[in-house]
Amino acid sequence: MPARSEEIHHGEQEGLRFQLLTHPKSFIGDKDGRLKAVECVRMELGAPDESGRRRPVEVKGSEFCIDADVAIISIGNGANPLIPQTTPDIKVNKWGNITIDQDTGRTSKKGVFSGGDIVRGGATVILAMGDGRRAADSMHEYLTGGAW
Ligand SMILES: Cc1cc2nc3c(=O)[nH]c(=O)nc-3n(C[C@H](O)[C@H](O)[C@H](O)COP(=O)(O)OP(=O)(O)OC[C@H]3O[C@@H](n4cnc5c(N)ncnc54)[C@H](O)[C@@H]3O)c2cc1C
C-alpha cells in the first residue's frame, strides 16, 4: 500500500476498513440499475516472478459481496484524455501529459501555458505551485508585448 503508516493509522481511526488482497470483480445493480453491492474475490500471493515480486492470484471460490450504494474508483493517476481529444494543437507526450517549454511554461499553442501534474504526471503541490508562478511571469511578459 503506497501510503505513510500514519495515513493508514488515521484512516483506520476515521473508520476505514481496508480489504487487503481483495479484488473487485463486478458491480451488482438493482432492477433500476442502482448499485447495491460490489462482488469481490480474495487473493493470495503467488510465486515470485523474474523481478522477485509475488503477484496476487485469485483464491478460487472465495467470491463475496459488499453491500454498497456508492462506489468511488480511485485507482491510477493518468492524464485526462480530454485535452488531446479536443485541442490537438496542444502537444502531449505518449502518456498524454502536455509538453511545455521548461523556462516559460508555454505550450505548443499560442497564448496557452501549462504546468503541474498535467505536465509532470503525478508530482507534488510545491512543484505545481512553482510552475504556476513561472507561467504567471511568462503570461505577464507575453501580454505586455513579448513575442511568442
Ligand atoms: C491521493 C494523493 C495524495 C497526494 N499527496 C500529496 C502530498 O502529500 N504532498 C504533495 O505535495 N502532493 C501530493 N499529491 C500530489 C498533488 O495533489 C498534486 O501534485 C497537485 O495537486 C498538482 O496540482 P495541479 O494544480 O497541477 O493539479 P490539480 O490539483 O489536480 O488541479 C487540477 C484542477 O483542474 C480541474 N479540472 C480538471 N479538468 C477540468 C476541466 N475540463 N475544466 C475545468 N477544470 C478542470 C480539477 O478539478 C482540479 O481542480 C497527492 C496526490 C494524490 C492523488
Side-chain angles (χ1 to χ4, degrees), residues 4 7 77 80 82 115-118 121-129:
R4 296 185 200 111
E7 290 174 327
N77 199 10
N80 189 326
L82 197 65
D117 279 10
I118 193 60
T124 64
V125 170
I126 202 146
L127 287 170
M129 289 172 70

Side-chain angles (χ1 to χ4, degrees), residues 23-134:
H23 177 66
K25 284 191 93 168
S26 65
F27 293 121
I28 300 168
D30 65 14
K31 63 178 175 22
D32 301 317
R34 294 186 192 283
L35 182 67
K36 64 174 191 185
V38 184
E39 185 199 16
C40 299
V41 65
R42 297 285 180 208
M43 310 291 283
E44 63 187 355
L45 295 177
D49 62 17
E50 313 79 65
S51 72
R53 180 170 184 263
R54 296 178 65 192
R55 297 193 73 80
V57 290
E58 240 179 74
V59 179
K60 292 270 176 282
S62 66
E63 286 82 356
F64 66 102
C65 286
I66 300 174
D67 290 342
D69 50 20
V70 175
I72 299 170
I73 299 167
S74 55
I75 187 167
N77 199 10
N80 189 326
L82 197 65
I83 290 169
Q85 281 166 9
T86 58
T87 323
D89 46 343
I90 293 186
K91 273 199 196 140
V92 295
N93 64 18
K94 63 177 172 177
W95 297 286
N97 296 116
I98 296 175
T99 308
I100 57 164
D101 175 87
Q102 294 299 326
D103 295 329
T104 60
R106 291 180 179 196
T107 68
S108 53
K109 186 176 172 73
K110 189 174 179 188
V112 178
F113 299 76
S114 191
D117 279 10
I118 193 60
V119 168
R120 298 171 177 276
T124 64
V125 170
I126 202 146
L127 287 170
M129 289 172 70
D131 289 351
R133 292 179 74 103
R134 210 165 14 257

